Amino acid sequence: MTGIDSLRNVLELERRKGYTDKAVIGGLDKYLHTQAGQIRQSVNNPQLLKSFDELNLANSNYRSNSMDERKRWITEVFGWLDKLEKATKSTLTSPLPSRERNKTGAVVEPPQERKEGLDSPITVIKGISTGVDRKFAKLNVRTVQDLLYFFPRRYVDYSRTKPISELVVDEEQTIIGTIWQARVATLGHRRGTEAIIGDKTGNIRAVWFNQPYLARSFRTNARIVISGIVSLFKGHKVFESPEWELLQEKELIHTGRMVPVYPLTQGLYPRQVRKWTKEIVDGYAWQLGDFLPSEIKTRCQLLDLPMAIAQIHYPDDQTMAARARGRLSFDELFLLQLGVLARKRDWQEGQPGNALYIDQEVVSRFLHSLPFTLTQAQERVLQEILCDLKQAKAMSRLLQGEVGSGKTIIATLAILIAAANGYQGALMAPTEVLAEQHYTNICSYLSQVGTQEHSSEPGGGPSTSLRTGTIRCYTGFLPSPLTITLLTGSLKSSEKERLHHEIGEGKVDIIVGTHALIQKEVEFKKLGLAVIDEQHRFGVLQRSALRQKGFNPHVLVMTATPIPRTMALTLYGDLDLSVIDELPPGRQVVKTKCLEPQDREKAYTFLYRQVRNGRQAFIICPLVEESEVLEAKAATTEYERLSREVFPDLRLGLLHGQMPGSEKEEIMRHFRGGELDILVSTSVVEVGIDVPRASVMMVEGAERFGLSQLHQFRGRVGRDKEQGYCLLIPEKFSPEARERLRLMEKVHDGFVLAEKDLELRGPGEFFGTHQSGLPDLKLAKLTDLHSMELARQEAITLFQSDPSLNKAEHQHLRQQLSRAWSGGAEWS
Ligand code: ADP
Ligand code: MG
């Protein structure tokens, strides 16, 4: 007996028993929940599937309903079963699919299914020439599959059809009427088309500017659908350049429905693109095999893939659009999660890690050498890390903590543990200046616990220079001497070679550097721990590269950008999470003030006084999202203006993203060294730079930045004992901008600001997934914590039952997964 038959029987029985929930042992809800998936699978008509989903058998809540509601619901299910029966019969008796009618009453031709594969170039579609396909290539659309996944940005809702007499001004509406007259007309000073369209209730004029050729397509007495906004012209209602579509034996795609709006590029026109996407959806969506296991679809109430694709392009209504989006964004998050879990498993179980011995003596001597005690949060995180290091399983941990929360100390101690076990430890920073900064800090910690020996350089003497490539040596801490070096890209190649050699020989224990560390020439003798600072500049791929340096090292990633937890689990689900959520005592909050644009002079005066008192200042120029070139230009102009007109007697520097890396590093070095008073910069200054004497952060065009970013900016000042100030100057002051920026004055917790940011501006603020090697998220909203949690749970469940996706029913999913992750890691 099929699932359908047994459903019918059970419901019959239930009806006979007077809706008392006695038909099956355990109750109807449980029965339906277990059967729904199977029943659903035996339905292949999209319409019926849709109505099946609406019945929501898997979560019927039958027990909690009243008798009346139970009765009504069962009657509905019977209604559906009848329809299903009829549909099955009719396809058995008449092989031709029945023609359907669309909303407007026109008979619709069934779509033409196409046989070419999904990987065929889009030129298989009539009308897509090689010229056009080049334009699509700019949008990363090359194959039929790409076009199926080329989603509309939004929809215009033209589904409200009205009689002409009931049209109201200034609203988007649709009419269906007959063309009484159409002609070329002079509109303003240009030629265009004018038509009079009527229905039973009245007539209306429609005009199209600059499109006189339309008049030819508009035959008198043809039926036409017009969608657009009605406006008033000389007291009469008129449609101005509305969307139009002749009513033929085809489904409407430009009017009379939810019409998709695609992100376009020059030379692609909305009408064409809609026509093509419709053709692709009708012709090929059926070929998309559904890779999601059906239990998951049932449990999460997700649409089937072909249906979701069809509905995301041409939704029946808002609800279906939302459900389509729900299904497709689930896919994105689910695949992301599966990949991330697999990666973690590969790292941790693929090869054994190195269990380190934690010498408590080393730990306590280091901690006692510090002029302060660890905060509780640092203490907790340290224990988490030490606990990982002890395991014969490589650590994969993300350490989050605000700027200045004391991450570096913790990382340093972890590196020392590695060194004490005879392993090398590496610390990688995103820029040379940051690498130098870490190097200096670690050296100064080491000189507290040990004694610096003569350097291995010919010519000797304790090296005081920060020079990259020098090896410093500390004794008296660990039983054997401890060596440390700085490796950056600016090292001369002969020196680089020598250093590579020394690292390969194991002559250096601690290597601090930039991404020069992950070049393939660098071969560690015995890498035991890699620490990566400021995660957002490094992606998954760099993390992999470092891992591939052998020995399956423990990895600690540090970031100062607060990421809400679920989001961290999603984007960095391959990492365990530690958070330092407490600042060292006595740390002052940066006093933040949001000024009116006209108060700029006052801000300058304040800044000037600070500099005169021996402090330094940053001035951040407005963000220009469209173009880094324009942004650089604007910053240069501002820098010149400030140098000439505002602070002629101070020393100003300029920093922007268009400058070569070495030049940027140079400027930062000057500023840090106190040779500049004010640094005028674009947002490139954001990352962890430590300028102890900087006390003022002035941000122009502040409303253009996210709260998290502003918070990062202000983290750059007040790092000393002195009070830090942050002055926010908006360019335009909308009430929302004002409210948002006011939060900066009150809130000093980066996590709270991050959550607010997500709420107010969406996740764009956070790590773009592009450079990170993660699959692209086109639809999934990282703000939708509920969906993320759901996808994660499902991924974990699946992963537990079939971690390598070896089961036959998961083969399709496995392929999909490697497709999604093709930009990044291998899926084996
Ligand atoms: P992060 O790397 O998180 O930005 P750092 O480790 O660089 O922070 O620490 C910032 C400053 O705070 C350093 O000067 C460090 O010596 C100091 N510091 C770290 N932990 C403490 C603590 N528990 N108490 C007082 N000062 C601390
Ligand atoms: Mg730091």
Side-chain angles (χ1 to χ4, degrees):
M1 187 160 51
T2 67
I4 302 278
D5 293 338
S6 97
L7 176 66
R8 202 177 254 290
N9 289 346
V10 167
L11 294 185
E12 280 296 356
L13 188 59
E14 175 64 14
R15 182 143 72 176
R16 265 184 277 135
K17 294 200 170 187
Y19 308 102
T20 48
D21 203 9
K22 298 249 168 63
V24 277
I25 296 170
L28 211 50
D29 286 323
K30 194 168 157 209
Y31 165 81
L32 292 170
H33 185 79
T34 52
Q35 295 298 308
Q38 202 202 340
I39 296 172
R40 195 174 190 286
Q41 270 192 315
S42 54
V43 183
N44 42 27
N45 169 320
Q47 231 75 43
L48 283 169
L49 264 183
K50 189 179 151 199
S51 46
F52 176 81
D53 288 338
E54 279 158 12
L55 289 171
N56 198 0
L57 250 55
N59 300 290
S60 44
N61 268 333
Y62 186 77
R63 173 160 299 172
S64 55
N65 282 344
S66 69
M67 266 334 159
D68 274 351
E69 285 166 328
R70 290 178 180 186
K71 189 171 162 184
R72 202 172 324 125
W73 187 75
I74 286 193
T75 314
E76 266 176 51
V77 179
F78 273 121
W80 179 81
L81 282 167
D82 292 342
K83 268 193 249 162
L84 177 70
E85 201 166 68
K86 241 189 251 151
T88 324
K89 273 196 195 124
S90 75
T91 51
L92 288 179
T93 51
S94 72
L96 287 174
S98 58
R99 288 179 156 201
E100 290 180 40
R101 281 177 178 274
N102 71 10
K103 270 196 215 179
T104 56
V107 176
V108 175
E109 287 288 348
Q112 219 51 54
E113 287 183 358
R114 308 266 306 232
K115 297 285 180 293
E116 302 91 352
L118 296 173
D119 289 326
S120 317
I122 51 174
T123 43
V124 296
I125 296 297
K126 208 172 94 205
I128 300 193
S129 61
T130 30
V132 171
D133 85 339
R134 250 178 273 131
K135 286 170 191 144
F136 270 112
K138 280 200 197 134
L139 300 165
N140 276 327
V141 173
R142 292 180 179 81
T143 64
V144 166
Q145 165 118 353
D146 293 341
L147 198 52
L148 285 173
Y149 276 87
F150 178 64
F151 300 138
R153 206 165 19 180
R154 61 190 177 90
Y155 309 94
V156 190
D157 192 349
Y158 288 140
S159 57
R160 282 176 310 154
T161 311
K162 281 200 173 165
I164 290 178
S165 63
E166 287 176 23
L167 290 173
V168 283
V169 173
D170 279 346
E171 260 180 44
E172 271 163 359
Q173 294 147 100
T174 295
I175 57 160
I176 301 166
T178 304
I179 301 174
W180 295 136
Q181 186 193 46
R183 60 185 185 100
V184 177
T186 308
L187 304 166
H189 298 288
R190 299 273 193 87
R191 273 153 39 94
T193 295
E194 178 188 62
I196 307 295
I197 292 148
D199 66 9
K200 277 186 284 202
T201 69
N203 294 336
I204 188 165
R205 199 166 79 101
V207 294
W208 288 265
F209 301 104
N210 300 328
Q211 301 178 65
Y213 50 87
L214 285 184
R216 252 181 297 139
S217 322
F218 295 167
R219 281 178 298 102
T220 305
N221 286 332
R223 301 274 291 154
I224 190 169
V225 188
I226 300 278
S227 287
I229 294 185
V230 176
S231 45
L232 269 191
F233 182 71
K234 296 189 178 159
H236 293 285
K237 287 178 193 160
V238 61
F239 277 109
E240 291 184 358
S241 296
E243 288 287 348
W244 60 272
E245 197 160 12
L246 292 174
L247 202 54
Q248 290 162 332
E249 296 205 340
K250 275 197 217 143
E251 207 181 322
L252 292 176
I253 58 175
H254 308 297
T255 59
R257 60 169 312 135
M258 304 246 311
V259 173
V261 178
Y262 293 97
L264 297 181
T265 183
Q266 208 177 13
L268 286 177
Y269 303 99
R271 278 182 83 88
Q272 291 177 317
V273 173
R274 283 199 292 262
K275 187 168 145 271
W276 293 326
T277 52
K278 183 69 174 122
E279 228 174 296
I280 292 254
V281 165
D282 288 345
Y284 297 89
W286 65 273
Q287 280 191 37
L288 287 165
D290 203 334
F291 54 87
L292 273 192
S294 51
E295 318 89 73
I296 296 188
K297 278 191 284 182
T298 312
R299 237 187 339 256
C300 305
Q301 300 184 37
L302 298 170
L303 291 181
D304 280 326
L305 186 57
M307 173 79 130
I309 289 286
Q311 290 289 327
I312 194 106
H313 288 279
Y314 290 93
D316 291 345
D317 51 36
Q318 299 281 4
T319 317
M320 284 309 281
R323 293 200 60 196
R325 178 175 285 272
R327 158 69 207 248
L328 296 167
S329 58
F330 179 90
D331 288 358
E332 291 175 355
L333 294 171
F334 183 68
L335 293 171
L336 178 71
Q337 279 301 318
L338 273 184
V340 146
L341 291 171
R343 192 189 295 268
K344 181 167 180 179
R345 185 225 28 211
D346 289 350
W347 284 348
Q348 298 204 322
E349 280 149 37
Q351 35 176 332
N354 308 298
L356 302 184
Y357 169 68
I358 312 293
D359 186 345
Q360 286 306 333
E361 177 70 18
V362 170
V363 176
S364 65
R365 275 188 57 204
F366 179 76
L367 292 181
H368 281 123
S369 77
L370 298 174
F372 47 76
T373 52
L374 295 187
T375 60
Q376 273 178 17
Q378 281 173 311
E379 196 65 66
R380 184 188 65 232
V381 166
L382 176 63
Q383 291 314 320
E384 287 166 355
I385 291 171
L386 294 182
C387 189
D388 282 357
L389 295 177
K390 278 193 285 200
Q391 315 294 325
K393 210 180 177 191
M395 168 168 77
S396 267
R397 194 169 276 283
L398 177 65
L399 172 52
Q400 280 188 40
E402 297 235 15
V403 175
S405 61
K407 299 182 291 293
T408 311
I409 305 278
I410 304 297
T412 305
L413 185 47
I415 291 174
L416 291 174
I417 296 290
N421 280 265
Y423 285 97
Q424 289 169 306
L427 194 161
M428 184 157 89
T431 65
E432 295 206 357
V433 176
L434 284 174
E436 270 172 22
Q437 196 172 289
H438 277 310
Y439 178 66
T440 320
N441 286 341
I442 296 181
C443 287
S444 85
Y445 292 137
L446 289 180
S447 44
Q448 301 299 312
V449 275
T451 320
Q452 192 188 341
E453 292 296 308
H454 292 272
S455 82
S456 66
E457 290 283 88
S463 156
T464 49
S465 84
L466 238 182
R467 237 165 38 79
T468 168
T470 315
I471 298 175
R472 290 190 186 187
C473 175
Y474 293 86
T475 53
F477 176 47
L478 298 181
S480 52
L482 190 62
T483 46
I484 176 168
T485 195
L486 177 65
L487 173 60
T488 62
S490 64
L491 202 59
K492 272 200 297 210
S493 61
S494 60
E495 289 185 309
K496 216 180 272 177
E497 259 164 49
R498 179 183 52 82
L499 206 54
H500 288 168
H501 180 75
E502 310 255 25
I503 293 171
E505 293 283 298
K507 297 239 171 75
V508 204
D509 303 308
I510 303 177
I511 303 100
V512 180
T514 54
H515 52 267
L517 276 184
I518 54 170
Q519 307 301 307
K520 61 176 175 311
E521 298 79 15
V522 186
E523 286 190 23
F524 293 90
K525 171 112 188 291
K526 217 178 162 195
L527 183 61
L529 169 67
V531 179
I532 306 175
D533 191 19
E534 300 298 351
Q535 164 66 9
H536 54 304
R537 293 289 175 101
F538 291 110
V540 173
L541 298 183
Q542 281 90 342
R543 229 142 70 207
S544 300
L546 202 50
R547 281 200 178 275
Q548 278 145 22
K549 294 279 163 201
F551 312 102
N552 201 18
H554 296 287
V555 172
L556 180 66
V557 176
M558 304 196 289
T559 177
T561 308
I563 324 165
R565 187 177 174 84
T566 317
M567 197 153 126
L569 286 176
T570 300
L571 292 181
Y572 301 104
D574 55 336
L575 304 173
D576 295 312
L577 192 59
S578 286
V579 183
I580 304 188
D581 49 6
E582 180 186 359
L583 289 178
R587 201 56 68 72
Q588 312 212 27
V589 300
V590 176
K591 279 196 183 147
T592 302
K593 186 94 188 123
C594 184
L595 301 175
E596 303 284 336
Q598 62 268 26
D599 290 337
R600 188 172 282 114
E601 288 302 321
K602 278 190 223 156
Y604 289 149
T605 311
F606 180 77
L607 217 127
Y608 189 83
R609 270 199 232 115
Q610 288 278 316
V611 171
R612 279 286 166 245
N613 287 330
R615 322 295 304 168
Q616 289 166 291
F618 293 92
I619 299 180
I620 307 290
C621 302
L623 188 69
V624 182
E625 293 202 33
E626 309 81 62
S627 147
E628 231 182 79
V629 179
L630 286 183
E631 184 173 75
K633 224 185 208 162
T636 311
T637 313
E638 178 69 353
Y639 161 76
E640 283 162 1
R641 184 185 75 85
L642 289 167
S643 314
R644 244 193 345 256
E645 296 166 20
V646 186
F647 304 112
D649 53 337
L650 300 184
R651 299 165 300 170
L652 273 65
L654 171 67
L655 192 73
H656 62 68
Q658 295 289 298
M659 292 161 54
S662 55
E663 205 174 310
K664 272 190 278 197
E665 303 270 353
E666 202 52 36
I667 293 280
M668 277 317 300
R669 218 166 268 141
H670 283 315
F671 187 55
R672 196 161 173 242
E675 293 153 50
L676 294 171
D677 302 312
I678 297 177
L679 186 67
V680 180
S681 170
T682 59
S683 57
V684 296
V685 77
E686 197 182 343
V687 180
I689 185 72
D690 201 352
V691 184
R693 289 199 309 127
S695 67
V696 191
M697 170 63 66
M698 174 169 168
V699 186
E700 291 280 359
E703 81 280 13
R704 300 202 194 181
F705 293 99
L707 297 178
S708 286
Q709 207 174 2
L710 290 173
H711 186 65
Q712 294 280 309
F713 286 147
R714 75 177 164 191
R716 307 274 75 88
V717 297
R719 307 211 55 178
D720 216 350
K721 304 286 164 301
E722 300 286 324
Q723 179 64 53
Y725 301 90
C726 174
L727 306 175
L728 303 175
I729 307 201
E731 212 164 61
K732 285 202 216 89
F733 226 163
S734 68
E736 304 88 73
R738 187 186 303 259
E739 197 180 327
R740 211 161 60 81
L741 292 181
R742 290 268 181 252
L743 280 174
M744 294 299 298
E745 297 180 347
K746 287 180 286 194
V747 181
H748 292 270
D749 180 328
F751 280 92
V752 176
L753 290 172
E755 303 263 9
K756 276 280 170 212
D757 238 0
L758 272 175
E759 221 177 277
L760 297 171
R761 305 193 359 145
E765 289 315 295
F766 289 90
F767 316 84
T769 50
H770 310 295
Q771 330 92 303
S772 61
L774 295 166
D776 226 7
L777 300 179
K778 291 199 219 167
L779 288 177
K781 287 212 168 59
L782 295 176
T783 34
D784 184 355
L785 299 185
H786 173 73
S787 303
M788 291 209 288
E789 200 50 60
L790 190 69
R792 183 169 170 80
Q793 281 317 322
E794 289 294 344
I796 290 173
T797 310
L798 182 87
F799 197 75
Q800 278 162 354
S801 78
D802 185 15
S804 310
L805 298 185
N806 283 332
K807 290 189 186 162
E809 67 267 31
H810 294 151
Q811 288 322 293
H812 204 140
L813 176 60
R814 184 179 159 139
Q815 279 167 15
Q816 196 68 22
L817 196 58
S818 59
R819 201 189 251 266
W821 282 80
S822 58
E826 66 300 333
W827 172 266
S828 51

